[in-house]
Amino acid sequence: MSHATTTPGVQDLPTPAPPAPKGSLSSRSLPRLAPLGFAVVAIALGVGLSLAAGWQSRVQWGLISALLFLAISYVATSVVENRRQARDHLATSLVWVCFLLAVVPLASLLWTTVSRGSERLDGYFLTHSMAGVLGPEASGGVYHALIGTLEQVGIATLISAPLGLLTAVYLVEYGKGALARAVTFFVDVMTGIPSIVAGLFILSIMLIAGLEPSGLMGALALTILMIPVVVRSTEEMLKLVPNELREASLALGIPKWRTILKVVLPTAIGGIATGVMLAVARIAGETAPIILLVFGSQLINTNPFEGAQSSLPFYIYEQYKIGEAASYDRAWAAALVLIAFVMILNLVARGIARWKAPKTGR
């Protein structure tokens, strides 16, 4: 029978305590759901303080709640963890607050447009024009404006997309020297041109040449606004194509023009299509050039080369200017149609980009 022996003068070491679970307060770390709790407390305090001060604006409520959320998050993290973690949490919270401040107005605008526009949007609205319809009347539709937008944006895209693509290919693949620098400078300048200036430029040409208002004139102004966007987006996408692909193609003896056509452009087709759709969305909502060059019309005009036309932005402006309840409803419905138009174009662009993208699998 054995007996336990102990060494004289040596005491038993205490058994170490088990580590605290991760995320608990005793481990000097905030729980994972702590930011959510801070947000709830900040919103409650922000709304309460705003009501106590007599402020009825929800924008003020949101700003005060955001400031309180940042303050509570920083103080709580400093007390529980340390100042370094507090600064890290403060930066993360600031990013989330900025994100929400950017998203909330967009979501509010989209919700308002959908809720107001869906009340008037139906088959009749999409298939009838405003011919013979007075402002206070509840009838009338957007068909003539939709036809004008499709034709004007389509003509501008047919002109701008090839020119912008070829210009971007020249700047990335061939551009060197003074000519390339001059083209880049003018593209940068054109990017910041206001739409009214483009409209005035085409209007001056119309007055000199004695041309009449038409959808084509509006499309030319939209082309001026669209080309620099296409050039810049396509140029950036072409720069992202790895040089190894170009070198491998050239090493096989393939000419450079064929390398660009068969290797570079298919590789960047997704980004190029997205850039073109961004440019289309840029010009689809322009109103000033249409007012100057197309003049607007209540009748259906399917010929963009002759006679006044309308467009969705001009239709919205026109109906809002009438100032009647029925015209406001038509304006909101036309705005919803314009948003749907741009969204459909983006979906089509994504589909084309996925279809034409190079296959990576074997």
Side-chain angles (χ1 to χ4, degrees):
M1 186 173 183
S2 60
H3 298 278
T5 59
T6 58
T7 303
V10 178
Q11 297 180 353
D12 294 336
L13 297 176
T15 303
K22 187 177 180 180
S24 63
L25 293 177
S26 58
S27 65
R28 307 293 295 177
S29 178
L30 288 171
R32 182 175 298 177
L33 297 179
L36 181 59
F38 297 156
V40 173
V41 174
I43 293 174
L45 290 176
V47 174
L49 292 175
S50 300
L51 292 177
W55 297 335
Q56 301 298 327
S57 175
R58 295 183 181 180
V59 176
Q60 293 175 331
W61 298 359
L63 293 177
I64 293 175
S65 300
L67 294 176
L68 289 174
F69 171 73
L70 295 175
I72 293 173
S73 177
Y74 180 79
V75 172
T77 308
S78 300
V79 173
V80 177
E81 299 182 6
N82 52 62
R83 296 181 65 88
R84 179 180 179 183
Q85 292 294 332
R87 288 192 292 268
D88 179 73
H89 281 272
L90 178 62
T92 304
S93 302
L94 187 60
V95 170
W96 276 104
V97 168
C98 293
F99 170 75
L100 291 176
L101 290 178
V103 168
V104 168
L106 296 177
S108 176
L109 176 61
L110 182 61
W111 171 255
T112 303
T113 305
V114 172
S115 60
R116 295 287 299 273
S118 59
E119 298 177 357
R120 186 66 180 82
L121 184 60
D122 52 18
Y124 175 86
F125 183 76
L126 294 175
T127 56
H128 287 74
S129 68
M130 291 295 296
V133 179
L134 299 179
E137 297 181 5
S139 58
V142 75
Y143 181 74
H144 62 298
L146 183 59
I147 292 297
T149 293
L150 290 174
E151 291 181 348
Q152 295 159 24
V153 173
I155 293 173
T157 303
L158 289 177
I159 299 174
S160 302
L163 289 178
L165 179 60
L166 293 175
T167 303
V169 169
Y170 166 74
L171 292 176
V172 175
E173 304 294 338
Y174 298 98
K176 294 180 180 179
L179 179 60
R181 290 193 297 270
V183 173
T184 301
F185 172 76
F186 281 109
V187 169
D188 293 337
V189 171
M190 290 177 63
T191 304
I193 290 179
S195 59
I196 189 66
V197 175
L200 289 173
F201 174 72
I202 300 298
L203 180 62
S204 63
I205 296 178
M206 288 175 55
L207 296 177
I208 294 173
L211 301 176
E212 296 294 330
S214 64
L216 177 62
M217 298 296 104
L220 293 178
L222 298 179
T223 300
I224 297 175
L225 300 175
M226 186 175 177
I227 286 179
V229 181
V230 176
V231 172
R232 273 286 165 245
S233 60
T234 304
E235 186 180 0
E236 294 302 322
M237 290 301 104
L238 294 178
K239 289 180 179 179
L240 293 177
V241 178
N243 287 327
E244 289 78 4
L245 295 179
R246 298 180 177 88
E247 294 170 356
S249 178
L250 295 174
L252 295 175
I254 300 176
K256 187 171 184 178
W257 68 268
R258 193 172 181 85
T259 298
I260 297 173
L261 190 63
K262 295 295 185 179
V263 177
V264 177
L265 291 180
T267 304
I269 188 63
I272 293 174
T274 302
V276 172
M277 289 303 103
L278 288 175
V280 170
R282 161 76 170 84
I283 66 173
E286 291 294 343
T287 307
I290 306 303
I291 295 176
L292 288 175
L293 307 172
V294 184
F295 280 15
S297 175
Q298 305 294 329
L299 305 177
I300 298 174
N301 180 12
T302 58
N303 184 6
F305 303 101
E306 183 179 359
Q309 270 191 332
S310 185
S311 69
L312 288 174
F314 181 83
Y315 180 87
I316 297 169
Y317 164 76
E318 186 180 44
Q319 294 301 315
Y320 180 79
K321 188 174 62 174
I322 294 175
E324 300 289 342
S327 65
Y328 287 153
D329 293 338
R330 287 191 292 264
W332 281 110
L336 181 58
V337 172
L338 182 59
I339 292 176
F341 171 70
V342 175
M343 185 177 298
I344 291 172
L345 287 179
N346 279 275
L347 293 177
V348 171
R350 289 180 179 274
I352 294 175
R354 180 170 296 183
W355 174 44
K356 290 294 185 179
K359 304 296 185 294
T360 57
R362 292 185 178 181

